[in-house]
Amino acid sequence: MIDPRRLRVLRALADHGTVTAAAAALHLTPSAVSQQLAALESEAGHPLLLRKGRRVSLTPAGELLVAHAHAVAAELERAQATLDALTTGSSGRVAVAAFASAITQVVAPALKALKERSIELSVRDAEGHESVRLLLDGEIDVAITEEHRSTDRFTSFPLYTEPFDVVLPPGHPLQGPVDLAALADEDWVVTLPGNPLRDVVEMACAQAGFAPRIRHTSDDFRAIEALVAAGGGVALAPRNAVGGVRVAGVAPTRQAVAGVAPMRRVVAAVRKGSEDHPLIRAVLDELRTSAVP
């Protein structure tokens, strides 16, 4: 019989790629993770791992077992939600991670309304792709993130959509709406690799006929706007991200994108099976209410 607790270890390994990273996510020692994986291989009766130096990849049997592990985890979430729904009252704490502008626009208003219903939010500032990792690792209950990928491991609920604007250094001759093709020869300030917003920017530039000449990178939009204000390049930023940053007394300018602007679609994501938990359902309902303009 396969121990379902060891399936969680296998899922963490599939997510993080190394025994050390999986151990950190599970708050275990690397030796404990290795022992659990060895025991799981023995229980499964098949080799599950291929070791290549410090990294570990999954065999076909390992990939198959991870898929079953996801299904088991979702059913356990549903079981917990069903049990919790039997209890009287709906008070407790829910952990939420969101990027800064979503905290300002959606999470903070929801926090105030939920507090009046004896539901406490524990809020963590995290970029969208980081909040997804926290969600899948079980460190939070709700992730506010960009709609950037599909997975069978979480369920997402639309919150709001916002366009990207062009951010230009002070005194730049272009005035909006700005055709992105006119920025082909500029230096660019973009988010770091792995951030889905970088994919949006690179795709928008590709559709305009060029690849951005990346000079500076940051996942903090205050830092991005500061670099633009200092003359470090141009950028694309979601309309509600930051604004008002000044360097040596001057601020960058924001202009609309000519034609069809790239968009950020923001969702609330929860682990599959947990969406019917009474507390999480109440939080999702309040977040969607707060997101309505």
Side-chain angles (χ1 to χ4, degrees):
M1 179 69 69
I2 293 174
D3 187 335
R5 293 172 296 182
R6 293 180 178 133
L7 293 178
R8 183 167 177 255
V9 177
L10 185 66
R11 292 172 71 216
L13 182 70
D15 284 342
H16 297 282
T18 68
V19 168
T20 301
L26 295 169
H27 306 290
L28 297 172
T29 64
S31 62
V33 167
S34 295
Q35 291 169 11
Q36 292 290 317
L37 292 171
L40 182 60
E41 284 190 310
S42 178
E43 291 171 349
H46 294 274
L48 303 176
L49 308 175
L50 293 172
R51 293 171 177 81
K52 301 176 182 178
R54 295 178 61 189
R55 298 198 67 82
V56 179
S57 60
L58 298 176
T59 65
E63 295 280 4
L64 180 63
L65 192 55
V66 165
H68 284 291
H70 295 334
V72 169
E75 285 304 314
L76 289 174
E77 293 277 4
R78 290 190 184 95
Q80 187 64 57
T82 301
L83 290 172
D84 289 343
L86 293 175
T87 62
T88 58
S90 296
S91 62
R93 176 169 294 181
V94 176
V96 178
F99 48 89
S101 61
I103 291 176
T104 301
Q105 296 179 88
V106 178
V107 179
L111 182 149
K112 186 177 188 304
L114 289 165
K115 194 170 184 178
E116 296 171 355
R117 298 164 56 185
S118 298
I119 299 175
E120 297 285 342
L121 292 188
S122 175
V123 182
R124 182 166 176 172
D125 190 332
E127 291 301 315
H129 57 301
E130 175 67 9
S131 67
V132 169
R133 184 193 65 77
L134 294 171
L135 180 69
L136 296 181
D137 284 349
E139 296 189 38
I140 60 170
D141 304 303
V142 182
I144 310 299
T145 183
E146 297 87 5
E147 185 181 56
H148 64 279
R149 64 176 180 174
S150 60
T151 176
D152 59 359
R153 296 178 61 186
F154 61 73
T155 303
S156 60
F157 301 87
L159 292 179
Y160 64 90
T161 301
E162 62 179 326
F164 280 68
D165 290 331
V166 176
V167 186
L168 300 171
H172 196 285
L174 287 178
Q175 299 294 319
V178 175
D179 186 340
L180 290 182
L183 303 174
D185 295 328
E186 301 276 359
D187 290 335
W188 280 75
V189 187
V190 301
T191 52
L192 295 167
N195 187 322
L197 296 186
R198 177 160 173 160
D199 297 336
V200 173
V201 171
E202 291 182 337
M203 184 178 298
C205 292
Q207 290 173 344
F210 69 98
R213 188 173 66 219
I214 297 169
R215 186 69 65 190
H216 308 287
T217 58
S218 174
D219 278 341
D220 184 333
F221 278 104
R222 289 188 62 83
I224 288 175
E225 292 211 353
L227 289 167
V228 173
V234 301
L236 280 172
R239 181 160 294 172
N240 294 318
V242 195
V245 173
R246 305 179 75 85
V247 173
V250 295
T253 61
R254 280 178 171 256
Q255 305 290 350
V257 175
V260 180
M263 306 293 289
R264 169 158 74 171
R265 294 172 175 83
V266 179
V267 301
V270 299
R271 287 183 297 280
K272 189 170 288 293
S274 71
E275 59 268 26
D276 291 327
H277 189 288
L279 288 178
I280 292 177
R281 186 169 61 244
V283 170
L284 290 172
D285 289 344
E286 198 60 54
L287 289 171
R288 284 180 285 185
T289 298
S290 297
V292 174

